[in-house]
Amino acid sequence: MEQRVKELEEQLDDAKRVYEIGGHQVVDVGGYAYRWRGSTPLEVGDRVLLPENYVSRMKNGPGPTLGVVSKLGTTYRRSLSDIVSRAPAADG
């Protein structure tokens, strides 16, 4: 029963998920939807710099915050913040 509920939730998510708004890619980063205006599409796992907000400023200080694209598209239907830029590759 739990498996069936999960399958139905995924089908509903897929039916409502949008990948582009206003000609710009939409991605999920840490459970929040953002718009990407860059010329090269983002992929899951890409590191990005997110705009400062009230919480990030308290936690990390002023300026952009590092995030990782966790999902493509969103079911969120309200105003989206823009990703600042791609983040430099991780050292490794």
Side-chain angles (χ1 to χ4, degrees):
M1 181 68 152
E2 288 178 21
Q3 180 62 30
R4 182 66 181 141
V5 169
K6 183 178 178 182
E7 289 171 3
L8 290 171
E9 287 174 341
E10 288 173 359
Q11 287 175 4
L12 182 60
D13 179 87
D14 289 344
K16 291 186 170 194
R17 183 163 292 276
V18 294
Y19 297 89
E20 193 175 279
I21 294 176
H24 302 286
Q25 184 182 19
V26 179
V27 298
D28 182 288
V29 180
Y32 296 95
Y34 291 90
R35 181 176 42 230
W36 170 241
R37 295 178 183 257
S39 59
T40 306
L42 295 170
E43 297 180 16
V44 171
D46 283 350
R47 294 162 35 102
V48 294
L49 293 177
L50 305 174
E52 175 186 320
N53 62 42
Y54 174 75
V55 175
S56 70
R57 185 177 180 90
M58 287 189 334
K59 290 173 72 176
N60 306 314
T65 301
L66 181 66
V68 177
V69 175
S70 53
K71 202 176 228 185
L72 301 180
T74 187
T75 57
Y76 185 73
R77 294 289 193 254
R78 297 194 181 191
S79 178
L80 300 176
S81 294
D82 291 332
I83 292 172
V84 174
S85 67
R86 288 182 186 268
D91 293 358

